[in-house]
Amino acid sequence: MNPSLLRSPWPWFSALALALLGVFVVYPLLYIFTASFFGDGGSGWVQLMHDGRSLAAICNTLVLACVVTLCSTLIGVPLAYVSARFRFRGKLLITLLPLITLVIPEVVTAQTWLMILGNNGVITRFLKGHGIFLPSFYGWFGLITSMSFIYYTYVYIGTVAAIGKFDAQLEEAAQSLGTAPVRSRFHVMLPVIRPAILASALLVFTMVVGNFAISTILGHNVPLLSVAIYQAAVAEGASNLTMQSTLASTSVLIVMGLLFVNRRIIARGRYEIVQGRGAKPQPLKGGQGVVVSAAAGFVVAISLLPLLTIAVGAFTLSRGPVMRWGEWTLDNMARVFITAPGPLVNSILYAGIATLISVAFSTLVSYLVVKKPNLVTPLIDYVSAIPLALSGTVLGVGLLASFNGGFLSLTGTSTIIVLAYVIRRMPFGMRNGQAILHNIPNSIEEASISLGSPPFRTFLRVVLPMMLPAVASAAILTWTTTVSELSASLLVYSGGRETLPIQIFRLIDSGLMAYASAYGLVLVAVILLPVVIATTVFKVDLFGSK
Amino acid sequence: MGIAISNLSVRYGAETVISGLSLDIPQGCFFTLLGPSGCGKTTLLRTIAGFAPASGGQIRFGGRDVTELPPHKRAIGMVFQDYALFPDKTVADNVAYGLRARGEKGEGVERKVKAALERVGLGHLLSRHPAALSGGQRQRVALARALVIKPTVLLMDEPLSNLDAKLRVQIRETIIELQREANITTVFVTHDQEEALSMSDLIGVMNKGKVEQLGTPQQIYATPRTGYVADFVGAANRTEVAVRSTSAGIVELEVAGSRLLATDALEGPAEHGILVLRPEDLKISSAPAAGLQSLPAIIRGRQYLGARTSYSVECAGGLALNAELHGAGHDAFLPGASVYLGFDPAAARVIRS
Ligand SMILES: Nc1ncnc2c1ncn2[C@@H]1O[C@H](COP(=O)(O)OP(=O)(O)OP(=O)(O)O)[C@@H](O)[C@H]1O
Ligand SMILES: [Mg+2]
């Protein structure tokens, strides 16, 4: 290597970044993979073939993912189409959808469904009072319903963006060539937005495979992969390293396969739309308008239901698992803030530190990858995307197994929780950082250097200020997602280090819905506060840079 | 400080973009790198600046070897094609940036910034942001920013290419004035020959990573040493010819069945050469002109261009040439007309093929 290169700070930063990624991403992954092959009872893969319950869990997970993906697409695509192409009453509410998914943690959503349709749910008890017995919400029915009504938003967001970019002129051109409107829509628009739909469907699929909160709360008698991994990892006294590693590897392989499909098949079919002059939304009137408004309103109402339920539940008196609806109290909130404020403090602390680390790391490293490429930066780029293939549960298992003693013992520390947050968020931070940097021309930096400012100071004085607005919005997104993180932290946390989602999860497990609601409401407030401050006070464009 | 480049080569991976290039630019000289797209002008400029590392050879600023010096220590001023103003800083802060990077503070900085901006006629825009400036104003800010630090050399990469024609001429003058005033060695990159001819003290015509000819604008235009230079600077007629004899700087040559005389620029004995004829050196008349050598010809086409007319003419033996007439009656000839094409042997040059 050229000696003058080593005098600049970048090669050293690259080496450091690669070392960190190697220890905290590659090593745990390899640890799991190797542990799946060697164990007390022989290879985990052989064991797996004879373990009916684990095989069922894998099967169920795939079936569930297919069904939920289908349902989400069936809800999300029509909703996207009507909201992109038409104007009708209540459309504004639909544009709030992205915010809703951002704000309501899955654990809270699952809790809400239980409070409404669970064994002690409002509707269940009401109907029971009238002699009607509902089928249990636990199991397939509950899993599919609740997941579909969360994940359709991802299909919605992806499809709306694609239709928005779709050039109305293309469609007009097809019509002017003599195709009828409906056919032209199918022939011209569908191929153009199909990649976006497929990509978001695939995203939903991977999210279902990795889903832990809903799976474990509503799954009960349906064995599912991430729940099986979790149980193998925390099994009282008999934590089975081989089996948990094998199951975790299975999850990684499934998600990697899907990412591969995405890259190979879908991304290749992505059309470049040269000029995005979106079609003007047409007003919908009369019967059509009412039907569309009602349908869209219904979907949005269900998405909003969790918020309403926990807001009421947080102030409702309870006796153990029984909610005394209509009787109000402040005791639940008092518990969150006064009697047991630990989870609130922990959440803010851990997520705050993780956000700082994550933003600093991804900003610096994406700068290296984009602006200071060398031999190792492509590797850094590649490795930093690996966490995309790790569900929270898998990551938790990996960290737990790798840093339990050995050369770096982190078990039982707060560090391992923060680490889990940072790693889960890294691919998104990197993608965001790279997108921003591609928009900053190299000449800006060279101008600064030519004026006598050394490279690292140039980065701080010139590049960083230009990245700041986008970095701020990335920081907020990181905050919202880490504050509500459950699946990885649930595995690596230790007594006294509960976060809000962990506390809520444990309260739901004990059936204490009123307390859970209070913690849930506070959690939503903690998530929302920076979002509100950023968008109103600092005018940060959150969704533009996602 | 002058710039001395010796035996420089620059590689991008396996591709050698510049090889064995040597160049001497005297102190205070306005030097222009002229050449077609992709010939390595930007690469050479960036190597001088230090942004593209040299893979061999040496660069000296006023005798001091800077080949291994990182760019921020070379005390250069640089003006970029896209101006590269810092979008989040005001005009004043943009200009002050280099001074502050040198550790200057307080009132001195303010005074210098104000003076520099007033010098380019922008004293009233101190607190604007670059987004709120016109293209020409941005260009001036970029110039002020590069010059306020009193660099040892000024490097400019096609700084005028984003401006419209009128503004380009205006800013050209500003650049020249500022450069003369500061007496600063300047390397200016362009592929616009008019810009190069009008601004430079010295021009280096580049081709495929080499400087093909180095000279004053007059030398480059009037006495191109290669066919490539002749063609790139001013559209010249170039024709393969056979050399019959040479004596006392005059070549007797044969082309398309005619024997003609031309100036010897062959730089040594040769049997073949290229006859270079500028279109504006060719005269058209209805009868052979006195004192010029004449060829019978037919007008094949013409383009009326206002102050001049451009003709395509076919001489006996099928030789096709372009001629350009100025002055009264320059549009007098019509396609199909039989005419005589005349030129002075002093204006026709034969160069090595
Ligand atoms: N970063 C790079 N990596 C690899 N090759 C490069 C790089 N930059 C330039 N080149 C190649 O080097 C050659 C010279 O490029 P250069 O930018 O110096 O041309 P130029 O004379 O400035 O052209 P233009 O007038 O179009 O700006 C080109 O063939 C180009 O493809
Ligand atoms: Mg160039």
Side-chain angles (χ1 to χ4, degrees), chain B residues 71-117:
Chain B
H72 65 275
K73 292 187 181 153
R74 294 197 184 187
I76 48 172
M78 200 153 175
V79 178
F80 296 81
Q81 188 167 6
D82 60 359
Y83 317 133
L85 299 179
F86 308 128
D88 56 319
K89 298 184 168 58
T90 62
V91 165
D93 285 336
N94 262 278
V95 177
Y97 188 89
L99 296 172
R100 297 207 174 112
R102 284 165 169 68
E104 294 188 32
K105 283 195 188 73
E107 221 173 289
V109 171
E110 255 170 62
R111 195 162 19 83
K112 284 185 192 173
V113 167
K114 198 148 195 310
L117 281 166

Side-chain angles (χ1 to χ4, degrees), chain B residues 48-346:
Chain B
I48 297 175
F51 291 122
S55 48
Q58 226 181 26
I59 300 175
R60 296 162 182 277
F61 288 176
R64 178 183 176 210
D65 185 351
V66 296
T67 321
E68 292 291 314
L69 206 62
H72 65 275
K73 292 187 181 153
R74 294 197 184 187
I76 48 172
M78 200 153 175
V79 178
F80 296 81
Q81 188 167 6
D82 60 359
Y83 317 133
L85 299 179
F86 308 128
D88 56 319
K89 298 184 168 58
T90 62
V91 165
D93 285 336
N94 262 278
V95 177
Y97 188 89
L99 296 172
R100 297 207 174 112
R102 284 165 169 68
E104 294 188 32
K105 283 195 188 73
E107 221 173 289
V109 171
E110 255 170 62
R111 195 162 19 83
K112 284 185 192 173
V113 167
K114 198 148 195 310
L117 281 166
E118 267 163 10
R119 183 63 196 79
V120 294
L122 295 177
H124 57 296
L125 295 181
L126 288 173
S127 53
R128 283 262 185 99
H129 279 269
L133 299 179
S134 73
Q137 288 168 335
R138 283 179 210 178
Q139 184 57 269
R140 285 164 205 266
V141 175
L143 261 176
R145 184 179 69 177
L147 284 171
V148 76
I149 55 174
K150 301 213 179 311
T152 52
V153 301
L154 179 62
L155 307 174
M156 295 191 258
D157 192 357
E158 310 204 27
L160 305 178
S161 61
N162 284 334
L163 302 174
D164 70 58
K166 247 196 187 142
L167 205 55
R168 218 178 284 179
V169 175
Q170 256 179 38
I171 298 204
R172 244 189 239 172
E173 282 162 17
T174 314
I175 292 178
I176 293 289
E177 273 172 36
L178 289 170
Q179 190 263 340
R180 294 270 180 274
E181 227 172 77
N183 191 28
I184 178 172
T185 315
T186 300
V187 181
F188 183 94
V189 166
T190 183
H191 54 239
D192 181 328
Q193 48 153 315
E194 193 184 304
E195 231 164 73
L197 293 171
S198 67
M199 298 175 79
S200 322
D201 299 321
L202 265 183
I203 296 176
V205 181
M206 276 190 83
N207 183 21
K208 294 184 190 144
K210 292 210 154 63
V211 172
E212 190 132 335
Q213 185 172 356
L214 182 70
T216 63
Q218 287 79 0
Q219 286 168 340
I220 296 285
Y221 189 82
T223 59
R225 274 183 26 211
T226 66
Y228 174 83
V229 173
D231 194 44
F232 192 76
V233 185
N237 293 298
R238 290 185 299 160
T239 318
E240 276 290 333
V241 296
V243 175
R244 289 290 164 241
S245 66
T246 53
S247 68
I250 299 290
V251 186
E252 190 189 354
L253 54 86
E254 189 176 322
V255 58
S258 311
R259 293 218 162 199
L260 297 169
L261 296 180
T263 307
D264 180 7
L266 281 169
E267 298 171 347
E271 293 192 350
H272 296 276
I274 293 172
L275 173 66
V276 178
L277 275 169
R278 297 277 179 205
E280 65 271 24
D281 292 331
L282 290 168
K283 309 279 184 294
I284 297 175
S285 50
S286 2
L292 298 178
Q293 34 187 352
S294 285
L295 291 168
I298 294 175
I299 307 274
R300 287 294 177 214
R302 66 169 217 164
Q303 269 188 318
Y304 177 71
L305 296 169
R308 57 186 208 276
T309 303
S310 162
Y311 295 93
S312 37
V313 179
E314 190 182 324
C315 304
L319 176 64
L321 295 173
N322 278 318
E324 232 175 67
L325 298 196
H326 303 250
H330 62 75
D331 58 344
F333 303 96
L334 295 175
S338 289
V339 294
Y340 286 88
L341 202 59
F343 61 93
D344 187 340

Side-chain angles (χ1 to χ4, degrees), chain A residues 147-425:
Chain A
M147 286 191 188
S148 298
F149 275 98
I150 297 174
Y151 292 144
Y152 80 94
T153 45
Y154 293 94
V155 179
Y156 167 84
I157 294 170
T159 313
V160 156
I163 297 179
K165 274 193 227 141
F166 176 73
D167 193 344
Q169 272 178 325
L170 271 180
E171 200 177 353
E172 282 162 18
Q175 281 181 31
S176 74
L177 292 171
T179 351
V182 175
R183 282 193 57 200
S184 76
R185 195 160 292 160
F186 266 88
H187 283 265
V188 182
M189 182 153 127
L190 208 58
V192 180
I193 63 171
R194 189 166 45 207
I197 297 176
L198 285 178
S200 42
L202 217 56
L203 175 66
V204 171
F205 197 102
T206 54
M207 293 181 78
V208 177
V209 171
N211 180 289
F212 174 74
I214 299 174
S215 303
T216 185
I217 293 173
L218 296 179
H220 269 224
N221 292 326
V222 180
L224 289 167
L225 185 51
S226 54
V227 183
I229 300 171
Y230 174 76
Q231 285 167 348
V234 297
E236 218 43 65
S239 163
N240 182 343
L241 181 63
T242 310
M243 207 55 210
Q244 81 196 41
S245 298
T246 311
L247 290 171
S249 303
T250 309
S251 165
V252 174
L253 292 177
I254 292 174
V255 180
M256 275 187 168
L258 289 168
L259 291 176
F260 182 77
V261 168
N262 182 33
R263 185 160 290 188
R264 272 304 154 95
I265 297 166
I266 299 178
R268 194 185 288 169
R270 196 156 286 171
Y271 291 69
E272 266 317 319
I273 305 190
V274 184
Q275 263 212 326
R277 196 171 61 86
K280 222 174 133 195
Q282 304 293 317
L284 266 187
K285 293 211 190 75
Q288 263 188 326
V290 172
V291 170
V292 168
S293 296
F298 174 73
V299 170
V300 175
I302 291 183
S303 306
L304 274 176
L305 206 56
L307 214 50
L308 187 72
T309 316
I310 55 166
V312 175
F315 297 99
T316 294
L317 201 64
S318 67
R319 287 276 170 276
V322 181
M323 301 290 291
R324 311 268 288 254
W325 297 106
E327 293 172 49
W328 306 99
T329 178
L330 284 176
D331 288 353
N332 306 328
M333 294 310 270
R335 187 179 158 107
V336 177
F337 287 105
I338 299 160
T339 330
L344 176 59
V345 175
N346 289 342
S347 265
I348 293 176
L349 196 65
Y350 301 157
I353 296 173
T355 301
L356 284 181
I357 296 177
S358 164
V359 167
F361 185 84
S362 57
T363 305
L364 193 62
V365 174
S366 41
Y367 178 77
L368 290 175
V369 170
V370 176
K371 299 288 186 186
K372 306 287 163 197
N374 57 35
L375 284 178
V376 300
T377 50
L379 198 59
I380 292 176
D381 191 25
Y382 190 76
V383 172
S384 67
I386 288 180
L388 276 183
L390 311 182
S391 71
T393 314
V394 171
L395 179 65
V397 164
L399 291 179
L400 206 56
S402 313
F403 302 114
N404 184 15
F407 73 100
L408 185 59
S409 177
L410 296 174
T411 315
T413 62
S414 311
T415 311
I416 197 165
I417 302 176
V418 173
L419 193 63
Y421 286 172
V422 171
I423 295 174
R424 284 207 77 181
R425 197 55 207 167

